[in-house]
Amino acid sequence: MRVLPRSLTGRLLVTTCVTLLVGFGLSSIIIGHELGWLVLHDMDERLDAQIEILASSVDANGTLDPGFHVDAPPFNRPGSGWAWEVIGDAGTVRSASLNGADLPMPPPPPPPPEQHLPRMPHFRRDGVMVRGELVFPRPMDVRGRDGRLLHYRVASVPTSFGRSVIIVAGPREIVERPLRRAMTPLLVCLGGMAFCLLVALFAQLRVGLGPLVRLQAMVAEVRAGKLRQIHVSEPTELLPLVDELNELIQANEQAVARARTHVANLAHGLKTPLAALKLDLAESACDADGRLAALVERMESQIRRHLGRARATSAGTAAHPVEIVAPHIEDLVSALRRLHAERRLDIEQSVPDDLLVRCDGQDLDEMLGNLLDNAWRHARSKVRISAPRGGRLAQVLIEDDGAGLGEAEMLQAMQEGRRLDETEAGYGFGLSISRELCELHGGSLELRRSGLGGLAAVITLPRGGGTE
């Protein structure tokens, strides 16, 4: 199971959100704990003050001095939750707020004062001085008879007849109510801070990752042949990567250029001996069955094939110039009229004069020449050349009114060296070379049924002048 997303943006967002949740959660718990301790500390001091008053009113024999006023508000209001009770051998005395009822008895008294209690939110190191003795009231929470949670402070006061127990209580909600009131705006503020931090994170991601997006666009332009080098001046952390990419691009171009030159030199070096061998075979009688001539033709086709691949590979790695399509078509049509003078076809041209494509001029002639020659040889009476307007990519349609091809035959015709009609001249590489040239220039070649009844070849190439 993947915990972090694959993208850098997703990882930064996930880790930041988790960190914020953990940090703000811990902050809320710690701040709430400290606020609760401060409020409870104030309540304990108030209850301890009441214990001191009550301890001062307890006589040496353990009875409460009735002349000492100890029922100050709010201990005199029934149902207020504030109450006290003094339990001794001489009897029990209660505050007026209890209406004669007893406070729920707390657990047994705490250990002797010599055992110092640890410093915790509910324990205090300072005690109450009673008759020269330091008394440490014991805190506890007890559920009252009405279901209300009460906070007790219990102290043991020395008298002549033993020790009297003084219990002072207050409603626990005195602590919880201000704590809730304080925590609500605190949580709202923390949530607002978290939201602001997330907004700042989004802004930082947009600004911080923007150079990576631009770098990706430049690499795509290099791959498409629109740029030869990547030019980035910031941020400085990306400059070493940019330098390495430019070195890689340059090394790739040099390797392709060397390979292309080697293949071209080899092919051109073989063409002359093969041409001489072909003439010798034609003039002599040593090739009566034509097998040697067939082998020579096959070798010539392979040379032509590798020359086309070398040019196609170079086209895929170099910047593509912008070419106007119409002049190339006019020149090719003029040449084909002379080449196929015996075939008087109706040639319909509707290619806009301003149609621009990003393609090498020789490659464009190679693609259009192969397709026009096929259409010229297979058409009955008409060839149509058109180019629809609009769209991000330019299209050139070459259609004929010949017999056409079926779906399976169209697939076979795009394969290397496949000739569907063995009676026709050629090597069977024209369509495959045209397809590779289209793809390496960022386009495609498609065969389909023509509206004239024959075959339609559709060349798709990137536009040179933007979208119309």
Side-chain angles (χ1 to χ4, degrees):
M1 179 180 179
R2 178 174 291 277
V3 178
L4 293 177
R6 295 182 182 273
S7 67
L8 182 59
T9 301
R11 293 187 177 191
L12 291 175
L13 288 176
V14 169
T15 53
T16 302
C17 290
V18 171
T19 304
L20 288 177
L21 288 175
V22 173
F24 287 149
L26 291 176
S27 300
S28 302
I29 294 173
I30 294 173
I31 294 174
H33 189 272
E34 290 299 316
L35 287 176
W37 183 85
L38 290 174
V39 177
L40 185 61
H41 180 77
D42 292 339
M43 184 177 184
D44 286 345
E45 288 185 343
R46 184 174 182 181
L47 295 178
D48 287 351
Q50 184 67 19
I51 288 176
E52 290 187 21
I53 295 175
L54 292 171
S56 301
S57 65
V58 176
D59 294 335
N61 59 3
T63 61
L64 189 66
D65 184 2
F68 201 90
H69 184 68
V70 293
D71 256 349
F75 293 94
N76 60 349
R77 293 198 296 266
S80 64
W82 295 90
W84 56 263
E85 190 173 79
V86 179
I87 304 172
D89 293 338
T92 300
V93 184
R94 307 173 185 84
S95 63
S97 60
L98 291 175
N99 280 332
D102 292 332
L103 280 171
M105 291 304 295
E114 292 76 17
Q115 300 182 5
H116 297 288
L117 298 176
R119 183 176 178 84
M120 295 180 63
H122 284 230
F123 294 91
R124 297 168 53 203
R125 297 178 65 87
D126 53 328
V128 179
M129 189 64 68
V130 179
R131 293 189 178 90
E133 181 179 346
L134 188 61
V135 177
F136 292 90
R138 181 164 61 112
M140 62 184 65
D141 293 332
V142 179
R143 185 72 62 180
R145 288 185 173 84
D146 58 354
R148 180 186 296 182
L149 188 62
L150 302 177
H151 181 64
Y152 281 17
R153 297 286 287 179
V154 182
S156 179
V157 179
T159 64
S160 302
F161 296 92
R163 305 184 72 89
S164 297
V165 178
I166 300 177
I167 305 173
V168 182
R172 181 73 184 187
E173 62 187 23
I174 295 298
V175 179
E176 297 173 352
R177 188 186 305 121
L179 183 61
R180 287 194 298 267
R181 290 180 180 176
M183 288 302 295
T184 299
L186 176 63
L187 294 177
V188 172
C189 291
L190 290 177
M193 290 177 60
F195 176 76
C196 292
L197 289 175
L198 288 177
V199 172
L201 175 64
F202 275 108
Q204 288 180 350
L205 289 176
R206 292 294 299 272
V207 175
L209 297 181
L212 292 178
V213 177
R214 292 193 295 271
L215 180 60
Q216 178 189 4
M218 287 187 178
V219 172
E221 290 183 351
V222 170
R223 183 174 61 85
K226 298 178 182 180
L227 292 177
R228 298 186 66 89
Q229 293 287 315
I230 299 174
H231 303 285
V232 175
S233 59
E234 59 181 15
T236 56
E237 290 81 2
L238 289 181
L239 296 184
L241 176 61
V242 172
D243 292 338
E244 292 295 330
L245 286 175
N246 286 331
E247 292 291 336
L248 180 62
I249 293 170
Q250 185 176 2
N252 183 58
E253 288 183 351
Q254 293 174 354
V256 172
R258 287 194 298 267
R260 182 190 181 193
T261 302
H262 176 71
V263 173
N265 291 338
L266 179 62
H268 284 293
L270 291 175
K271 284 179 66 176
T272 300
L274 286 176
L277 179 60
K278 190 174 183 180
L279 290 175
D280 291 342
L281 290 176
E283 293 175 357
S284 64
C286 62
D287 186 27
D289 56 358
R291 287 185 301 172
L292 294 178
L295 290 176
V296 171
E297 277 196 26
R298 183 170 181 81
M299 293 171 68
E300 286 183 338
S301 68
Q302 292 293 334
I303 290 173
R304 183 171 180 269
R305 169 65 178 161
H306 286 295
L307 282 173
R309 289 186 67 91
R311 186 167 62 251
T313 304
S314 176
T317 59
H320 305 324
V322 176
E323 293 287 335
I324 304 176
V325 177
H328 289 269
I329 293 179
E330 291 175 1
D331 292 343
L332 290 171
V333 168
S334 177
L336 288 172
R337 285 186 187 276
R338 294 193 301 270
L339 183 63
H340 300 283
E342 75 283 358
R343 306 208 69 201
R344 300 187 178 277
L345 301 177
D346 178 18
I347 308 301
E348 177 183 338
Q349 299 184 51
S350 57
V351 178
D353 294 336
D354 58 350
L355 178 60
L356 303 176
V357 295
R358 289 193 175 274
C359 182
D360 179 77
Q362 294 183 2
D363 295 336
L364 186 60
D365 286 337
E366 177 80 12
M367 291 183 284
L368 293 174
N370 288 335
L371 299 178
L372 284 172
D373 183 67
N374 285 339
W376 216 289
R377 286 187 287 106
H378 292 94
R380 292 191 179 95
S381 60
K382 184 175 183 179
V383 173
R384 182 166 63 195
I385 309 166
S386 61
R389 291 182 176 271
R392 184 175 59 88
L393 298 175
Q395 284 189 339
V396 178
L397 281 72
I398 300 175
E399 305 173 80
D400 62 70
D401 61 350
L405 298 176
E407 294 292 335
E409 292 175 324
M410 291 182 189
L411 295 177
Q412 294 179 20
M414 299 292 284
Q415 298 176 8
E416 299 179 3
R418 290 302 302 269
R419 292 169 53 196
L420 299 181
D421 188 356
E422 297 293 339
T423 62
E424 294 285 343
Y427 305 116
F429 291 105
L431 286 176
S432 61
I433 291 177
S434 299
R435 175 177 56 81
E436 286 190 4
L437 288 173
C438 286
E439 293 174 352
L440 290 171
H441 281 283
S444 62
L445 172 62
E446 178 188 1
L447 298 181
R448 63 191 186 199
R449 196 70 182 174
S450 168
L452 299 177
L455 185 68
V458 184
I459 292 179
T460 303
L461 291 170
R463 289 186 181 273
T467 304
E468 293 183 0

